Amino acid sequence: MYHKVLVPYDMSDPAQHALVAALELVADVPDAQVTVLNVVDWQDYNAETFKIASRMSGVLGDSLDMDAIAGVGEEAAKQTTERVSADIAEVLDGIGSTLQETNVFNIAVVNGSPHDSITAYADEGDYDCIVMGHRGLGMVRGMLGSVCYSVLHKTNKPVLIVK
């Protein structure tokens, strides 16, 4: 029985199907926790390359305002969380209130590559299961591998892939 489930969520139809499947998976579990994880690849404003380029272009002087730079990332995370929350609300409205009332929801937004971030978040948070949507990929992307495939092979957690 799964008590703590992680749902990587990119607001796509497969991710919405995965969220519904995760909620059904823990519907009868008391105190179940479902965490919706959105992974974005923001610019790392603390990277040395960014600092050098900004100085060369004259955008920033020699003294960087690190508080202002950190504020950009925090604002991006806040806006992403609001978008994900609104999208999830629509999904929850479509499935009925009984599933909503029996679960605790968390929304997390992290920066990084999806497969590494999902795997690390699941391990660090000690999740019981990862439920993710499967995407129909084109031939080129299929040869390179998908996020699902990568997560499936990198984690030791059970992974449920939903079509």
Side-chain angles (χ1 to χ4, degrees), residues 78-118:
K78 180 181 171 190
Q79 289 176 2
T80 302
T81 301
E82 289 170 0
R83 281 195 308 272
V84 169
S85 182
D87 196 70
I88 290 171
E90 291 179 21
V91 174
L92 294 177
D93 287 343
I95 62 172
S97 62
T98 44
L99 290 177
Q100 294 179 50
E101 293 168 4
T102 59
N103 298 290
V104 176
F105 292 98
N106 297 311
I107 298 174
V109 177
V110 295
N111 182 19
S113 67
H115 55 275
D116 290 334
S117 297
I118 293 165

Side-chain angles (χ1 to χ4, degrees), residues 30-155:
D31 300 325
Q33 177 184 349
V34 176
T35 299
V36 176
L37 176 67
N38 185 267
V39 181
V40 293
D41 194 8
W42 293 311
Q43 184 66 33
D44 184 3
Y45 296 110
N46 290 318
E48 198 60 34
T49 306
F50 173 77
K51 294 174 184 178
I52 292 168
S54 62
R55 285 185 187 123
M56 289 175 63
S57 66
V59 174
L60 295 174
D62 289 332
S63 62
L64 293 172
D65 184 358
M66 296 311 287
D67 291 335
I69 290 171
V72 171
E74 291 170 9
E75 182 61 28
K78 180 181 171 190
Q79 289 176 2
T80 302
T81 301
E82 289 170 0
R83 281 195 308 272
V84 169
S85 182
D87 196 70
I88 290 171
E90 291 179 21
V91 174
L92 294 177
D93 287 343
I95 62 172
S97 62
T98 44
L99 290 177
Q100 294 179 50
E101 293 168 4
T102 59
N103 298 290
V104 176
F105 292 98
N106 297 311
I107 298 174
V109 177
V110 295
N111 182 19
S113 67
H115 55 275
D116 290 334
S117 297
I118 293 165
T119 305
Y121 200 91
D123 289 342
E124 291 167 10
D126 197 30
Y127 285 86
D128 300 323
C129 182
I130 302 170
V131 180
M132 32 188 331
H134 178 270
R135 289 191 134 158
L137 300 173
M139 190 156 92
V140 173
R141 180 69 177 141
M143 287 187 289
L144 297 174
S146 68
V147 173
C148 289
Y149 182 83
S150 183
V151 168
L152 186 62
H153 289 281
K154 285 186 174 203
T155 188

Side-chain angles (χ1 to χ4, degrees), residues 1-3 26-33 102-103:
M1 188 172 291
Y2 301 118
H3 293 279
V26 298
D28 297 328
V29 178
D31 300 325
Q33 177 184 349
T102 59
N103 298 290

